[in-house]
Amino acid sequence: MTVEYNPDQKIPHPAMWGVLYKSSTPFWEGVKNKKIMLQKCKSCGNLLNPPRPMCPKCQSQENEWITAKGTGKIYSWVTFNEAPHPAFKAPYAAVLVELDEGPRIVSNMVDVKPEDLEIGMAVEVTFEDVAEDLTLPKFRKAG
Amino acid sequence: MAIESIKDKTAIVGIGVIDFSTNIGRSEWYSACQCIKLAADDAGLNIYDIDGMVKNIDDGPDPSYVQKGLGIDNLTYHSESHWGTSAMMNAVQGVASGSCNYCVYYQAAHRVSGPEKSISDYRVAREVKDDSLDMIRYDFFSPFGLIGQPGYVAMMYRRYMHETGITPEQLGWIPVVDSENAAKNPNAIFFDKPITIDDYMKSKVIADPIRELDCAPKVDGAIAIIVTTPEKAKSMKQKPVIISSNAAGMAPEGQFHTSYTRDVITELPEMKNMGDELFRIAGIGPKDIKLAMLDDTFTPYVPLQLEALGFCGKGEGAAFIEGGERIRVGGELPINPDGGLIGQGRFDTTRIVEAVRQIRGTSTNQVAGADTILVASGAGGPADGLILRKA
């Protein structure tokens, strides 16, 4: 099941409040190019998602961005039976995916019903155009 | 590790609680002045004796308004804090350091009818102009519909179920016992009579696995607590409640209700750090605690607090609460005999008030021999707490 949206409501996304935050801009630019970008500390190699102003392991503020493979496993999920925002049609699930590189990412599944979700399920990224000007990274069952 | 300068240096001598409501029909300024006057009366203090004022930043008007409202001449100490009941630390420090004689900690928040913005309100994000921790929520959670605290906690709770086997049938004993206790507390507005575990299981599953009854409802309320030195307290109206220890705690990779970057997301390391410090300063251990006032804003945090504070081992929290026997009044470790936040609404300072009443022996649901009480706040985020004892 793909998340269904109410077409007359804007999906809450940084683009709709007019500013892309400094740290998250490379991530969302990557999504436009159908990539999941992870912040990597240039000093110690620590990978971070969401991005941060400083590496919490070595305090370096020098970083670069790498492309994740886009594969991982479901770490946890929550099924919303009531939508906390009018853009979303309940029920739908938000998933926490642990990427193979280590960092976790919040997303949604496509083509998997909430009741069929399992912790540990292998997943891979797919990119969904959810609105005219908005693409989101989502996940489907791997293989 | 902090020095032990605050041990037994301060005491609570007055409490003021207004009638809670879900539509109070007055301003937070009104309620702030009202609860402080009640606390001063409770302490037998003249309002002009108050010379220190502290509060949580987000809850109600700041001290300049309240000082003006009460007509107090001067405040030699005023300060605000974040999170839970951490402004209590400001009060303790203000008095222990000698910056003020009588410090009032007030929380005046009309969370239903008042001006507070919901944390799930995405419009707040428009006002954030720079990188902040909110960015993580708004940029990385909201686009996927992960919005609001019940959903944030549900993500952790699902994982907790997976790792420990905890079930809703176990967790439901928190709201069941809260409802039993709330029914005995005239200040608790949410349960006229106790619910059963079946009622809990039928409660609407809003953000699966979180049910409606797993979440403390919002409420309009106001509470004031007056702190002074034990020496001054000796000649005052009420039996003083000694603050044995007071501490806060944080831990790596914390984010309010959403510490998803931690290797293990099913622990409360902030609470563990806070608890270790509380026990170290007070020079006692979990077995010395007769009653625990724990943060039940969201029920999965209760077993996690029992584990973090050393009342049971890791993964044993669910078994501890199951059936309710151990956590009821008369049990091994009574929890929240006032009905907790599930019974009274989201108002963290109620825990301190009930602890004071228990030590005074004036609770409507009195625990026999409740002379040493632990109060914990801030589950799922920066933690703070107190160990209170009889003088």
Side-chain angles (χ1 to χ4, degrees):
Chain A
M1 186 188 81
T2 305
V3 177
E4 289 180 40
Y5 302 96
N6 285 314
D8 57 336
Q9 295 282 339
K10 281 207 163 187
I11 296 163
H13 175 269
M16 74 173 288
W17 36 87
V19 283
L20 264 182
Y21 301 112
K22 295 179 191 77
S23 297
S24 60
T25 302
F27 178 88
W28 288 106
E29 289 298 316
V31 169
K32 279 186 193 166
N33 298 317
K34 303 206 181 322
K35 287 175 179 171
I36 291 182
M37 305 295 288
L38 297 174
Q39 192 186 36
K40 183 180 181 182
C41 173
K42 269 190 178 172
S43 173
C44 75
N46 189 23
L47 290 171
L48 292 161
N49 182 68
R52 303 262 280 266
M54 178 180 272
C55 174
K57 294 223 168 115
C58 75
Q59 291 75 47
S60 168
Q61 295 193 288
E62 298 294 318
N63 58 62
E64 59 192 332
W65 289 76
I66 63 149
T67 305
K69 283 185 292 179
T71 51
K73 288 188 171 68
I74 291 182
Y75 191 76
S76 191
W77 84 94
V78 48
T79 303
F80 287 90
N81 291 323
E82 290 178 6
H85 185 282
F88 302 89
K89 284 186 185 174
Y92 66 90
V95 295
L96 184 63
V97 172
E98 188 166 274
L99 297 170
D100 288 342
E101 289 87 352
R104 299 185 191 127
I105 182 171
V106 170
S107 183
N108 307 116
M109 294 297 290
V110 298
D111 302 330
V112 180
K113 291 179 190 157
E115 57 267 35
D116 294 330
L117 287 167
E118 280 173 28
I119 287 176
M121 179 186 280
V123 296
E124 61 190 18
V125 74
T126 179
F127 292 86
E128 188 181 324
D129 299 325
V130 293
E132 204 176 315
D133 53 354
L134 182 59
T135 301
L136 293 178
K138 300 213 171 176
F139 287 83
R140 64 184 172 214
K141 217 170 166 175
Chain B
M1 197 183 274
I3 55 175
E4 293 174 28
S5 61
I6 58 110
K7 185 185 179 185
D8 297 339
K9 292 282 172 62
T10 54
I12 297 172
V13 291
I15 49 174
V17 185
I18 70 162
D19 291 337
F20 281 22
S21 167
T22 52
N23 185 16
I24 202 156
R26 295 189 294 266
S27 70
E28 289 180 344
W29 191 20
Y30 183 108
S31 295
C33 295
Q34 184 186 14
C35 70
I36 293 171
K37 181 68 170 71
L38 288 170
D41 291 347
D42 180 63
L45 272 181
N46 190 306
I47 202 80
Y48 302 104
D49 292 329
I50 293 168
D51 55 359
M53 218 175 253
V54 301
K55 68 180 279 277
N56 296 0
I57 282 172
D58 293 333
D59 294 337
D62 76 45
S64 72
Y65 286 87
V66 178
Q67 174 259 350
K68 179 182 176 180
L70 290 163
I72 294 173
D73 299 328
N74 187 17
L75 296 176
T76 57
Y77 181 79
H78 49 88
S79 163
E80 296 185 274
S81 181
H82 285 282
W83 307 109
T85 59
S86 60
M88 197 65 195
M89 288 194 84
N90 302 40
V92 167
Q93 307 281 342
V95 169
S97 68
S99 291
C100 56
N101 293 301
Y102 300 98
C103 190
V104 60
Y105 169 23
Y106 64 96
Q107 183 178 28
H110 297 173
R111 295 216 164 100
V112 189
S113 69
E116 186 193 77
K117 284 174 184 161
S118 162
I119 204 155
S120 67
D121 188 341
Y122 68 98
R123 286 170 301 186
V124 175
R126 291 178 177 160
E127 294 161 17
V128 180
K129 300 293 187 209
D130 197 1
D131 287 353
S132 72
L133 283 177
D134 289 335
M135 174 198 83
I136 295 173
R137 283 196 196 101
Y138 298 128
D139 278 20
F140 293 91
F141 299 170
S142 300
F144 307 98
L146 180 61
I147 295 171
Q149 295 186 16
Y152 298 157
V153 177
M155 191 72 91
M156 181 283 293
Y157 175 28
R158 170 90 60 197
R159 185 75 199 180
Y160 190 35
M161 291 168 88
H162 173 78
E163 290 178 3
T164 67
I166 184 174
T167 63
E169 288 85 350
Q170 292 178 302
L171 199 62
W173 288 95
I174 299 295
V176 168
V177 173
D178 271 346
S179 75
E180 293 168 0
N181 293 338
K184 294 176 190 163
N185 177 1
N187 289 120
I189 62 173
F190 291 106
F191 294 95
D192 294 333
K193 57 182 175 42
I195 59 162
T196 65
I197 196 76
D198 287 338
D199 295 330
Y200 169 81
M201 292 305 293
K202 285 178 199 147
S203 168
K204 208 189 310 175
V205 186
I206 50 174
D208 195 356
I210 288 275
R211 287 169 159 75
E212 207 162 31
L213 278 169
D214 288 314
C215 311
K218 290 186 175 184
V219 74
D220 294 346
I223 284 177
I225 295 157
I226 296 175
V227 176
T228 190
T229 62
E231 292 70 34
K232 286 195 172 61
K234 271 182 197 158
S235 57
M236 291 179 69
K237 188 172 153 191
Q238 303 288 352
K239 277 186 263 177
V241 171
I242 304 295
I243 299 174
S244 277
S245 64
N246 178 208
M250 289 209 195
E253 295 301 306
Q255 163 104 0
F256 196 41
H257 297 315
T258 51
S259 302
Y260 303 149
T261 59
R262 283 183 174 153
D263 290 345
V264 177
I265 68 169
T266 53
E267 291 175 350
L268 298 175
E270 298 91 342
M271 201 58 90
K272 182 182 188 310
N273 288 345
M274 181 276 285
D276 288 352
E277 190 68 358
L278 278 185
F279 287 126
R280 188 187 67 80
I281 293 170
I284 60 173
K287 289 204 167 17
D288 300 308
I289 299 296
K290 307 291 172 47
L291 158 61
M293 299 301 301
L294 303 183
D295 185 348
D296 62 342
T297 311
F298 295 100
T299 56
Y301 288 140
V302 176
L304 285 172
Q305 281 168 90
L306 290 169
E307 296 172 17
L309 295 168
F311 293 116
C312 63
K314 184 166 160 54
E316 294 171 7
F320 196 94
I321 61 177
E322 187 171 10
E325 288 311 317
R326 286 196 267 194
I327 61 173
R328 286 190 177 108
V329 170
E332 194 179 314
L333 182 74
I335 295 173
N336 301 353
D338 59 348
L341 301 198
I342 301 272
Q344 295 171 104
R346 292 182 74 158
F347 222 83
D348 288 310
T349 40
T350 56
R351 285 191 284 278
I352 301 173
V353 166
E354 175 64 9
V356 168
R357 287 178 174 152
Q358 288 285 345
I359 288 173
R360 287 180 181 176
T362 59
S363 172
T364 50
N365 194 18
Q366 188 63 41
V367 173
D371 56 5
T372 311
I373 299 177
L374 184 142
V375 182
S377 295
D384 73 276
L386 299 155
I387 290 175
L388 302 176
R389 68 166 176 84
K390 210 167 182 170

